[in-house]
Amino acid sequence: MDSEEIPTFSSPKEETAYWKELSLKYKQSFQEAREELAEFQEGSRELEAELEAQLVQAEQRNRDLQADNQRLKYEVETLKVGLVCNGIASPTDMSWMLF
């Protein structure tokens, strides 16, 4: 606060009232900011927990998909071998089955 902003007072009582009112304004502003910070922090904690849960689910889904992929690759290879062993196809005829 610049000294130019401070009004002139006609009495010490008037000056005391001015500073008291100003301090109450700052106190109220401080309390509001503190409440907003607490709300923000709570919201942040909730969001973090939600995102962590989503990450765990996504990681599990990824592992499941990788396992399915491996299982299906094995199944394709098994079918290829079966086709060759049964004489239905030759290894050179199976180029269409390559990934």
Side-chain angles (χ1 to χ4, degrees):
M1 180 184 283
D2 295 336
S3 60
E4 298 167 348
E5 295 176 6
I6 299 174
T8 54
F9 304 103
S10 60
S11 70
K13 189 174 185 178
E14 184 183 336
E15 183 176 6
T16 302
Y18 170 82
W19 290 113
K20 184 175 182 178
E21 183 181 330
L22 189 60
S23 71
L24 290 174
K25 279 186 197 176
Y26 283 134
K27 183 178 181 182
Q28 180 65 30
S29 179
F30 169 75
Q31 289 172 340
E32 289 170 3
R34 184 188 298 180
E35 290 170 8
E36 288 176 17
L37 175 62
E39 290 172 11
F40 176 79
Q41 288 174 327
E42 179 63 27
S44 293
R45 281 189 289 273
E46 290 172 2
L47 180 59
E48 182 180 12
E50 182 181 327
L51 290 174
E52 186 65 34
Q54 288 177 0
L55 177 61
V56 167
Q57 289 175 348
E59 288 173 338
Q60 182 60 49
R61 177 77 174 135
N62 189 38
R63 285 190 296 274
D64 292 345
L65 289 172
Q66 287 176 340
D68 287 347
N69 188 32
Q70 284 302 110
R71 180 184 53 76
L72 291 170
K73 282 182 180 181
Y74 177 75
E75 189 176 323
V76 166
E77 288 301 316
T78 302
L79 291 172
K80 283 182 188 179
V81 170
L83 289 173
V84 170
C85 288
N86 290 325
I88 297 172
S90 68
T92 57
D93 292 340
M94 301 187 68
S95 60
W96 59 272
M97 291 186 77
L98 296 177
F99 289 71

